[in-house]
Amino acid sequence: MSSQKLNDADADVHANPESALETARRQLSEAATQVDVDSGVIERLKHPTRVVEVAVPLKRDDGEVDVFTGYRAQHDDVRGPYKGGLRYHPDVTAEECVGLSMWMTWKCAVMDLPFGGGKGGVVVDPKSLSDDEKERLTRRFAEEIRDTIGPKRDIPAPDMGTDAQTMAWFMDAYSMQEGETTPGVVTGKPPVIGGSHGREEAPGRSVAIIAREAADYYDYDLEETTVAVQGFGSVGANAARLLDDWGANVVAVSDVNGAAYDPGGLDTHSVPSHEEQPEAVMQYGAPNTLTNEELLELDVDVLIPAAVGNAITADNANDVEAEIVVEGANGPTTAAADSILDERDVHVIPDILANAGGVTVSYFEWLQDINRRQWSLERVNDELESMMLDAWETVRREVEAGDTSWRQAAYIVALDRIGEAKESRGLWP
């Protein structure tokens, strides 16, 4: 497709944005043309197993009662229980949850985890809630979807607007109704009540591992590799600091207000992350500042978009100067931009591989909860490194065998595994 057509296509997307569900189904259809999976399986994977919608009443601090809508989408469990985050956000929809649950199915399959995909949330602005209100909302939501979830059925985790404390409340509410402490019902909890060490840092760590491997694959000396990171939140900050520790030259990082830029390299440990001091990147005192848009166009070896979805579009894909793009955020590259970058031989390592550290350490947490034995941080990081390298090698072999993009290769790996599982289990009755 020509660049002009791609720009026209992306303009259509801006006018009529492609939903997460539409994107997930399109990616499924594209991957299906390259794998030997029964068409009935492909058709089945276009639809979730179920979507639960519940009303979540909340008594406000002033005594008023508001009612919020909650969802839990469960896409596929052929390889194991559903797994995926719970988000509190005013734009949560059933369709979004279905699309994101499909991505979780692919992500778990790429990592060869015994999980399927799930996603859910409550339509609420978490900033409008006091701590007490957030706790009451969480406990009531846990009760409303209690029959849908469970450590052998569906295991939620933190997402946008939720955190380890949210998961602690959720686990406690579920346990009280079950009559026994059930830490394995959620992951991302504080370690003191069954959470895993290293869980919060895991997505950023996996991004750093994959960026390191990609640089090596394309013959970059890491100590001479320049890196720019859009988004200095949990994922971006942890990725940037690890790469910095390993010798890479991290020249730019950003938050919502803009980027700190130093061609000579930043001291990433001195730049406050969003968790440490929200929106403080521009106060770091770097010799140069940039907009987030300008950061994406820096002449660096590795670009890590770790902030928001749809950051790289047909409007700016031709201006991306990096040779390697490692997706830290979910869906930071539009379909049109992906095609442009592919035509330009820019190597895009997809989110379903690069940021899969979160769900992988969630799997470790689930195992620890089942066995009632906590792992050390060193073991967690060693196990994560091993599984990320295994996944990288599997996708790499597919890239080389099929002369295909990294994204397409990751989806082929996932679909092959899911298709084989469905063929082995069959269709009941």
Side-chain angles (χ1 to χ4, degrees):
M1 184 181 289
S2 71
S3 293
Q4 181 58 48
K5 288 181 179 178
L6 286 169
N7 276 281
D8 291 344
D10 218 38
D12 290 341
V13 169
H14 284 309
N16 299 287
E18 185 177 59
S19 70
L21 178 56
E22 290 169 335
T23 300
R25 284 176 172 163
R26 174 179 50 75
Q27 291 167 338
L28 170 61
S29 297
E30 290 171 356
T33 64
Q34 300 188 48
V35 295
D36 184 20
V37 175
D38 184 85
S39 61
V41 170
I42 302 300
E43 183 62 29
R44 167 67 188 82
L45 289 170
K46 293 179 181 178
H47 307 277
T49 300
R50 67 180 59 83
V51 181
V52 176
E53 178 179 336
V54 296
V56 188
L58 168 67
K59 188 173 184 179
R60 293 284 199 169
D61 292 339
D62 63 5
E64 294 294 320
V65 174
D66 287 332
V67 180
F68 299 92
T69 301
Y71 299 102
R72 186 64 179 174
Q74 298 173 329
H75 176 239
D76 188 80
D77 65 344
V78 69
R79 290 171 49 85
Y82 306 102
K83 187 80 187 76
L86 291 176
R87 55 179 51 184
Y88 290 174
H89 194 276
D91 295 332
V92 169
T93 65
E95 186 177 41
E96 176 195 55
C97 291
V98 172
L100 295 173
S101 73
M102 291 177 71
W103 281 338
M104 283 301 300
T105 297
W106 316 143
K107 186 177 290 188
C108 291
V110 166
M111 293 305 302
D112 206 13
L113 303 176
F115 292 139
K119 207 74 171 185
V122 178
V123 187
V124 62
D125 180 359
K127 294 179 182 178
S128 71
L129 303 173
S130 69
D131 287 346
D132 288 344
E133 289 172 337
K134 189 173 184 180
E135 177 177 356
R136 293 196 294 271
L137 181 76
T138 299
R139 291 181 179 276
R140 184 57 184 251
F141 184 42
E143 173 59 20
E144 295 296 341
I145 65 171
R146 183 165 59 90
D147 292 341
T148 305
I149 60 171
K152 297 180 181 179
R153 180 180 297 175
D154 183 352
I155 306 114
D159 203 309
M160 293 171 57
T162 59
D163 55 19
Q165 180 60 71
T166 317
M167 294 302 104
W169 292 328
F170 195 102
M171 184 272 280
D172 183 70
Y174 181 89
S175 297
M176 292 302 98
Q177 293 299 323
E178 291 295 303
E180 60 182 19
T181 299
T182 314
V185 68
V186 294
T187 58
K189 307 177 297 294
V192 71
I193 55 168
S196 177
H197 296 298
R199 168 61 182 81
E200 185 176 349
E201 300 84 6
R205 176 171 285 272
S206 68
V207 168
I209 291 169
I210 295 301
R212 182 194 68 201
E213 295 305 304
D216 180 68
Y217 183 77
Y218 288 108
D219 296 323
Y220 287 92
D221 182 339
L222 191 62
E223 293 191 356
E224 298 177 0
T225 299
T226 53
V227 181
V229 180
Q230 186 194 51
F232 208 59
S234 178
V235 177
N238 282 296
R241 289 169 177 175
L242 266 177
L243 289 168
D244 191 359
D245 291 345
W246 294 339
N249 188 22
V250 180
V251 300
V253 300
S254 72
D255 60 21
V256 66
N257 295 317
Y261 173 49
D262 184 348
L266 299 168
D267 178 2
T268 58
H269 290 277
S270 296
V271 183
S273 72
H274 181 74
E275 284 69 27
E276 293 162 348
Q277 188 178 343
E279 302 183 16
V281 165
M282 299 289 278
Q283 301 172 24
Y284 166 67
N288 303 282
T289 59
L290 304 170
T291 66
N292 270 288
E293 292 73 21
E294 289 171 334
L295 179 146
L296 295 173
E297 300 169 6
L298 280 176
D299 185 5
V300 293
D301 300 316
V302 178
L303 172 64
I304 300 176
V308 295
N310 298 335
I312 304 175
T313 70
D315 293 334
N316 61 6
N318 278 310
D319 297 318
V320 171
E321 294 294 329
E323 295 289 330
I324 302 169
V325 175
V326 180
E327 295 186 332
N330 289 320
T333 311
T334 68
D338 211 34
S339 298
I340 293 173
L341 294 174
D342 190 48
E343 283 186 355
R344 296 180 54 223
D345 292 326
V346 176
H347 313 293
V348 181
I349 316 299
D351 46 6
I352 63 171
L353 170 61
N355 69 18
V359 71
T360 303
V361 176
S362 279
Y363 169 57
F364 299 162
E365 181 174 332
W366 183 68
L367 292 176
Q368 293 169 71
D369 289 337
I370 289 173
N371 291 290
R372 294 295 202 272
R373 184 171 184 178
Q374 193 169 67
W375 298 0
S376 68
L377 177 60
E378 181 180 10
R379 180 179 177 183
V380 170
N381 288 341
D382 286 348
E383 295 275 359
L384 175 60
E385 173 105 6
S386 177
M387 290 196 68
M388 293 307 304
L389 293 180
D390 285 347
W392 167 263
E393 287 300 313
T394 302
V395 176
R396 178 193 59 77
R397 287 193 295 269
E398 191 62 47
V399 167
E400 295 176 351
D403 190 25
T404 187
S405 71
W406 290 92
R407 189 183 309 281
Q408 197 71 5
Y411 277 94
I412 291 169
V413 169
L415 198 50
D416 268 336
R417 286 173 171 166
I418 295 165
E420 184 178 358
K422 285 193 173 291
E423 183 177 351
S424 296
R425 288 186 58 167
L427 182 65
W428 188 89

